[in-house]
Amino acid sequence: IAYIIARERMHSGSIEEAVRRTMPQIQGAYSLLVMSPQKLIAARDPNGFRPLCMGRLGKGYVFASETCALDACGAEFVRDVEPGEIVVVDPSGVKSIRDHCTGRISPCIFEYIYFARPDSTMYGNNIHTIRKLLGKALAKEAPVEADLVTGVPDSSISAAIGYAEASGIPYEM
């Protein structure tokens, strides 16, 4: 990706134009953060496979794949970067380039069930809450007789709690 951006920059002049021209050449899931001496550029794949959010820290802006990273550094969540969007932060402010935005989103389901931390928010939904709801749905779809419910690996703890609540089977660590 860095090679393609560098090649496109030779033809376009500006780094944000190089990123804009590179995006159609990349297939698959990505979130990019590109820095130049005067600019910070964030870009998200047009399908929105991977999350990317923007935060405000003092007078500056920060970008992260999860909102919990913003919380950890004391930044305030501003918004999600839209699928296909390029956000440019420079001394004149924040600019959005939406040439590759399609309006559709195809997030990776593993962000919800495995990758994301439970204290993150994606697409306006708390991950812990979503996982609990998935656990409750699983309890209704696949009831079992059991002595207890537990989550393995740790990313399934929220779903296990939801399963336990819906099934009436006690949850234990």
Side-chain angles (χ1 to χ4, degrees):
I1 293 172
Y3 172 79
I4 298 169
I5 292 171
R7 186 183 66 208
E8 290 297 335
R9 182 146 191 215
M10 291 183 350
H11 302 294
S12 64
S14 75
I15 188 70
E16 65 262 31
E17 178 62 18
V19 171
R20 189 188 71 72
R21 290 172 55 150
T22 296
M23 288 177 70
Q25 299 176 55
I26 306 170
Q27 294 184 6
Y30 62 88
S31 290
L32 303 175
L33 194 57
V34 179
M35 293 174 52
S36 75
Q38 293 295 313
K39 296 177 182 174
L40 180 62
I41 301 165
R44 187 169 173 207
D45 73 84
N47 294 304
F49 289 132
R50 295 283 179 252
L52 185 61
C53 62
M54 181 169 76
R56 182 123 179 134
L57 184 60
K59 294 180 181 179
Y61 289 91
V62 294
F63 294 87
S65 61
E66 293 190 52
T67 59
C68 65
L70 301 178
D71 298 337
C73 70
E76 176 187 345
F77 174 78
V78 173
R79 67 179 180 86
D80 288 319
V81 176
E82 296 298 318
E85 182 181 14
I86 300 168
V87 178
V88 181
V89 181
D90 63 21
S92 66
V94 179
K95 173 175 76 171
S96 176
I97 302 169
R98 297 180 177 268
D99 295 355
H100 305 296
C101 294
T102 62
R104 63 189 148 93
I105 186 166
S106 303
C108 175
I109 191 65
F110 283 101
E111 293 290 344
Y112 281 112
I113 63 174
Y114 185 69
F115 296 148
R117 280 186 20 171
D119 56 337
S120 283
T121 299
M122 288 177 23
Y123 314 107
N125 299 302
N126 174 266
I127 296 300
H128 172 69
T129 302
I130 294 296
R131 288 179 181 162
K132 276 183 69 176
L133 291 171
L134 290 170
K136 288 178 180 187
L138 181 60
K140 289 182 178 132
E141 184 177 311
V144 296
E145 281 189 44
D147 297 324
L148 64 92
V149 177
T150 192
V152 176
D154 284 351
S155 60
S156 68
I157 289 173
S158 300
I161 292 169
Y163 191 100
E165 287 176 2
S167 67
I169 301 170
Y171 171 81
E172 292 290 336
M173 290 295 289

